[in-house]
Amino acid sequence: MLRLQSISPRRLVVALLALVLIALGVTVAAGGWNRVEAQSGESSRYAAIVVDAGSGEVLFSRHADSRRFPASVTKVMTLYLVFEALEKGTVSLDDVITVSPKAAAEPPSKLGLAAGQTIRLDDAMRATAVRSANDMAMVLAEHIGGSEAGFAAMMTRKAQDLGMTQTRYFNPNGLPDSRQVSSARDIAILARAAMRDYPQYYSYFGQHDWAYQGRGYRNTNGLLYSDSGYDGIKTGFTNASGYNLVASAVRDGRRIITVVLGGRSSATRNTHLAQLTDTGFELERRRAAGERTLVAQTFFEQRGFGVGSPDSSAPVAYASVSGTPTEREEGIGSSGVAYTALPAPAPAVRAAAAPPPELARNVPVATPATAPPVRRAEAETAPRSGNLTASLNSGVAAGSGLNRGAIANPPPPARATAPTPPAGRWSVQVGAFRDESVARNWVNEVNRRFRAQFASAERTVASAAGWHRSRFTGLTQAGAEAACAALAERRVTCMVVRPGN
């Protein structure tokens, strides 16, 4: 039996300290102190969104407007601008491009051509889409924009045109730059725009394998190899971002776009994204069968997605808190710079005159009274003839006369010089639907969640031009703005409506 007399006071203190550390969940390693990493809850880098590509309806969202590092998902915008240049005729797939010293010096993943070597534009595009080659993304940027800075400015302007409000670009490949940010919603907008505006080039994002100079390359998007209808679009990874993926799948004539950011590994990210996509298609099938599914977000939450869901026993492995990746998906190791996820922007209260976003901020599409109708997913039970991607996205093949500018550039908001309307007649709109019963049920649901904000308001459904708008009326301007701000804090779509609208 060990006697206390044989233990020196110093050793006794060390032993007691070790027991305390074990109880607190800390281990002592040769390299220093390592905190045991929690496996439940969300990382600050996690964000997700599920969108019906045909209607633009957001079926599920979580931190969808919070700023995140896009990593190589950036290359979707790079290729979008190449598609645009091809359509305009300013470049050709057969263009031969000389690799610059800057492009050759880009870190992996890369194709690895030396400065002075040449490559066809088409091959550079495939290397960017399949291999996620950082050097080839720079080759494309310099060929289209003249320089990295010039092309990055083009990328940011295009993002603004498309309604990507949280996105800024400073390089064409997504390598670490603390200024280069986006959001899950913005990435979904971009993915939808790529397949809608340039369906003839969308296949670049879905190519499984590609061979160049005798060497084969496999697409970094593992979901393409499943039998679940996935046909694009792009992965991304840096230590700062975690494992990102925007993917799209078609089943039963319907297309869903899903974005997951901040995964801990490519495997857990893919599993989580597939579960979200499967749930989206289950929702669509039930709607097509005539089942009245009132709130898509609730449908997801009842199945264990989102905060406050009934099943929290099996948390998804989100991005590692420590920032140490468990895999190397695209050959991008640590940049030597530790970034933290940027905070979500302060919620803004939108005036009634503000144009609707490209994608709704929650399940309902909060369109102003003057907005043109937007088709719901239920209306398209089968794809139209012609290009499937274009038809599923309510668009037509590029070059057929579609005025994308009219869609991408909404009208400016009303001037602040308008006369002040009387108090007590302001409203808060929380959604717009084709089905009146859905509109009434949604306004009741919002009232249930936010009783304090709408205690003195009247619940109504304003119907016009085939749309039924869920509203709370009889508010003062201050009361309406305060209520909408409270909803925005909880990521519920709303807009303040002036009297007479």
Side-chain angles (χ1 to χ4, degrees):
M1 177 174 146
L2 182 65
R3 294 184 303 171
L4 291 178
Q5 293 93 319
S6 64
I7 302 177
S8 67
R10 182 176 180 180
R11 290 183 178 179
L12 181 60
V13 170
V14 171
L16 291 174
L17 179 60
L19 290 174
V20 171
L21 293 176
I22 292 172
L24 292 175
V26 180
T27 59
V28 181
W33 301 94
N34 292 322
R35 185 177 183 276
V36 174
E37 186 175 298
Q39 296 300 313
S40 62
E42 294 177 345
S43 162
S44 61
R45 294 181 288 187
Y46 173 72
I49 193 169
V50 182
V51 178
D52 182 297
S55 66
E57 180 188 5
V58 175
L59 306 177
F60 170 81
S61 67
R62 180 71 180 145
H63 304 307
D65 297 298
S66 298
R67 293 173 184 170
R68 299 289 187 261
F69 298 117
S72 285
V73 176
T74 296
K75 296 181 177 90
V76 177
M77 177 61 83
T78 299
L79 289 168
Y80 183 96
L81 292 181
V82 177
F83 301 159
E84 184 178 70
L86 286 167
E87 185 189 51
K88 292 178 179 177
T90 57
V91 298
S92 166
L93 290 174
D94 293 322
D95 285 356
V96 177
I97 312 171
T98 301
V99 178
S100 70
K102 179 174 181 57
E106 292 296 285
S109 78
K110 60 194 299 181
L111 195 59
L113 298 186
Q117 288 188 283
T118 59
I119 187 170
R120 290 175 62 247
L121 178 72
D122 178 69
D123 286 325
M125 292 168 63
R126 297 184 188 279
T128 300
V130 177
R131 171 64 173 165
S132 197
N134 295 319
D135 52 352
M136 293 300 104
M138 186 64 69
V139 163
L140 294 172
E142 292 175 334
H143 187 61
I144 302 295
S147 67
E148 178 183 23
F151 189 77
M154 292 172 60
M155 296 170 76
T156 299
R157 285 195 299 270
K158 181 57 65 176
Q160 293 170 348
D161 289 344
L162 293 173
M164 300 167 63
T165 59
Q166 304 300 324
T167 300
R168 298 294 183 272
Y169 293 109
F170 289 86
N171 66 58
N173 43 34
L175 285 169
D177 187 321
S178 60
R179 302 167 298 171
Q180 182 149 313
V181 293
S182 189
S183 69
R185 189 184 309 277
D186 283 2
I187 291 169
I189 289 172
L190 175 59
R192 188 170 182 239
M195 59 184 69
R196 176 195 67 214
D197 299 344
Y198 303 107
Q200 70 272 40
Y201 298 122
Y202 176 66
S203 61
Y204 278 87
F205 295 114
Q207 186 171 350
H208 290 198
D209 302 280
W210 172 68
Y212 183 72
Q213 293 185 346
R215 182 177 177 181
Y217 299 95
R218 185 179 176 88
N219 200 302
T220 56
N221 181 3
L223 292 178
L224 294 175
Y225 305 95
S226 67
D227 295 324
S228 301
Y230 292 97
D231 60 4
I233 100 171
K234 190 69 187 74
T235 62
F237 168 78
T238 65
N239 285 345
S241 70
Y243 287 82
N244 298 342
L245 175 59
V246 50
S248 185
V250 176
R251 300 176 196 170
D252 301 323
R254 298 180 183 276
R255 177 181 291 279
I256 282 180
I257 299 169
T258 307
V259 179
V260 169
L261 306 179
R264 177 173 293 165
S265 70
S266 60
T268 57
R269 175 206 61 195
N270 289 357
T271 298
H272 183 49
L273 187 143
Q275 291 170 343
L276 288 172
T277 303
D278 290 346
T279 304
F281 280 118
E282 179 187 354
L283 172 64
E284 298 284 26
R285 283 193 298 271
R286 293 194 177 195
R287 285 178 169 177
E291 183 175 330
R292 291 187 179 276
T293 305
L294 303 181
V295 183
Q297 181 82 15
T298 302
F299 185 86
F300 276 77
E301 290 176 355
Q302 290 172 344
R303 282 151 182 78
F305 300 103
V307 172
S309 58
D311 180 15
S312 58
S313 60
V316 177
Y318 299 114
S320 169
V321 176
S322 66
T324 303
T326 57
E327 299 178 38
R328 288 291 184 269
E329 178 175 88
E330 297 183 7
I332 304 174
S334 172
S335 66
V337 180
Y339 300 126
T340 58
L342 300 181
V349 179
R350 293 181 289 152
E358 176 71 14
L359 297 177
R361 291 193 174 277
N362 207 311
V363 177
V365 183
T367 54
T370 57
V374 180
R375 270 179 297 175
R376 290 182 57 81
E378 299 93 307
E380 280 193 84
T381 57
R384 298 187 297 272
S385 59
N387 187 284
L388 176 61
T389 298
S391 65
L392 286 171
N393 289 282
S394 304
V396 294
S400 61
L402 174 64
N403 184 357
R404 290 189 298 276
I407 297 174
N409 297 296
R415 296 184 181 276
T417 57
T420 303
R425 295 171 53 193
W426 291 71
S427 304
V428 172
Q429 180 169 308
V430 294
F433 305 87
R434 285 296 193 187
D435 189 322
E436 183 177 1
S437 63
V438 173
R440 293 193 181 280
N441 281 301
W442 176 241
V443 75
N444 290 334
E445 173 67 16
V446 174
N447 183 68
R448 183 186 66 80
R449 296 186 189 181
F450 300 92
R451 293 185 187 276
Q453 284 74 22
F454 298 114
S456 62
E458 179 184 356
R459 285 168 279 168
T460 65
V461 173
S463 301
W467 284 92
H468 306 282
R469 295 170 175 83
S470 306
R471 291 181 176 179
F472 292 89
T473 62
L475 298 165
T476 64
Q477 179 179 359
E481 291 176 350
C484 196
L487 269 64
E489 287 283 356
R490 299 287 299 275
R491 301 295 182 190
V492 175
T493 304
C494 63
M495 63 171 60
V496 175
V497 182
R498 300 170 62 89
N501 290 330

